């Protein structure tokens, strides 16, 4: 699965890890994240993430 990176702070969303602090289970692909999901470190919206 493709990883995506926040262009502002460099946070990497890794589908294998998910985002447990935001209720996103491991194995969740980036495309399946809710539209209102944002970078857990700096708050940049999902729409601004870029493939790594």
């Amino acid at each position: 699965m493709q990883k995506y990176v926040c262009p502002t702070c460099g946070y990497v969303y890794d589908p294998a890890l998910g985002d447990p602090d935001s209720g996103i289970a491991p194995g969740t692909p980036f495309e399946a994240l809710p539209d209102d999901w944002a970078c857990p470190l700096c708050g940049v919206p999902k729409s601004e993430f870029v493939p790594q």
Side-chain angles (χ1 to χ4, degrees):
M1 283 188 276
Q2 178 82 44
K3 294 179 183 178
Y4 283 76
V5 63
C6 174
T8 301
C9 74
Y11 169 82
V12 175
Y13 176 77
D14 183 346
L17 303 176
D19 181 12
D21 292 340
S22 298
I24 307 298
T28 303
F30 185 81
E31 296 78 14
L33 294 174
D35 290 338
D36 63 350
W37 182 85
C39 178
L41 300 182
C42 72
V44 164
K46 172 186 174 184
S47 60
E48 293 186 27
F49 274 64
V50 293
Q52 186 179 39

